[in-house]
Amino acid sequence: MTLEVAIVHQLAGFSLNVTFQAKAGITAIFGRSGSGKTTVINAIAGLLRPDAGRITLDGDILVDSTTFVPPSARNLGYVFQDARLFPHLTVHDNLNFGTRYAPVNASGPKFDDVVDLLGLEALLDRRPAKLSGGEKQRVALGRALLSKPRMLLMDEPLASLDDPRKQDILPYLERLRDGPLQLPILYVSHAVDEVARLADTLVLLRDGSVARAGPIREVMSDPAAVPLLGVREAGAVIEATIMHHAADGLTCLRIDVGELHLPGVEADVGAKVRLRVLAQDVMLSLNTPQGLSALNVLPVVVDRIQRGDGPGAAVSLRAGKDLLLARITARAVAELGLVIGMPCFAVIKATSVAPVSIGR
C-alpha cells in the first residue's frame, strides 16, 4: 500500500509545499516545531483541506481539485499526542469503541490480538485516571488498531511522556512494526531517537518543504542532513547481530565489516538490533590505531564530505554495506587529507552507544 502526497497550503505567515511517498513499514515525518508536520498529517486524515494538490492511498483519491473524502470515510487510524480516552469508560470499553468504526467485513486484528500485542490484559478493568501516560497511549493505539484502518497516523504520540515512559512504549511500537499486521504507519515526531529506532523511511521537513527523503539509513548518514537533525543528534543507523554476551558485561555484535563491543545489550544471541551511532562519537584515523581505550575500530572508506557553516565538517563513511557518520573539524579533514574514496579507520567508544539508542 502506498500513500502519495503532493499538497500546497497557505497558513498565516507560513507556506506548505510538500511531495513524498509513504510505503510499507513506518514512514517518519521529522522536523522542528513549525516545519509543517501536523499540517501534513491533518491533511492526510481529512481534518484540513489543502489549498491545492492531491493525496491518494493505494490509488484511491482522498483529495484533489474536485474530490474531498471526509475523515470518517478514509478508514485511517489516528493516534494523537494526548490519548483522548473516554474518562468514564474502562480500558476494555475504550478499546471496544474502536470496533464501531471498523468497516464491515474488513480484515484486521481481533480484540484479543491487540490486547496481547500491546500488553493490556492487566489494564482492561481500569479507567483512564488510573493509567500512566504510556499506558494511556497504548490504549489509544489499541483503539485505533481495532478500527481496522488501512493506515495508521501517529502525531507526536510520545511527546507528552518522560524518558522512562517513552522507553516503556517504544518496544510495543517496534512489535507493531515488525509483527504480522504489516500495517503502514505515518509517524510524526521531532525526536531523533524515536525516528532512528522506529522508521524505515524518513521525510525531513524544513520551513514547509521536504528537504530530504529516503530510507532511514541513507538519510541519517547523509552529511547534508546534519543541520536538519541537529549536530548533537545526527548519527547513522546500522543493523547488527548479537554474537555473544561476555562475562565482563560487554556484548559482541556483528556488523558487515567486523565486530562491535557494547555494554550489555538486552537481546538474545542471534537477534538483530538497530543501533544509532552518534556522529560526534566517531573519531577517524588514517592508520590502525594502537594503545587506545576505545574497543571498536572499524575499516571504512570516505563516502562524502560536507563543510558546515562553522569550523565543523560531516563525513559519511562506508563500512561494507553499512554507513557511518563522523562529525569532526574542517581542520582535521585538511590535516588528514581526507578525500572521497580514501580508506581509513573509524574509532567508536563502547560506552558511547547508549541503551536508548539500541532498538529492534
Side-chain angles (χ1 to χ4, degrees), residues 187-273:
Y187 190 96
V188 166
S189 179
H190 68 273
V192 181
D193 58 339
E194 293 174 31
V195 167
R197 278 189 59 167
L198 297 174
D200 301 294
T201 303
L202 180 57
V203 178
L204 295 180
L205 292 189
R206 176 176 56 193
D207 300 329
S209 299
V210 176
R212 184 78 166 82
I216 183 74
R217 291 171 177 81
E218 293 180 11
V219 177
M220 292 288 289
S221 63
D222 184 353
V226 171
L228 303 172
L229 297 167
V231 293
R232 297 190 181 279
E233 293 287 347
V237 172
I238 61 175
E239 187 177 90
T241 302
I242 304 292
M243 301 301 292
H244 61 82
H245 301 286
D248 62 359
L250 293 178
T251 296
C252 176
L253 304 94
R254 180 72 186 180
I255 62 172
D256 195 43
V257 295
E259 295 180 347
L260 284 175
H261 299 273
L262 303 176
V265 179
E266 295 183 2
D268 295 334
V269 172
K272 294 187 182 298
V273 296

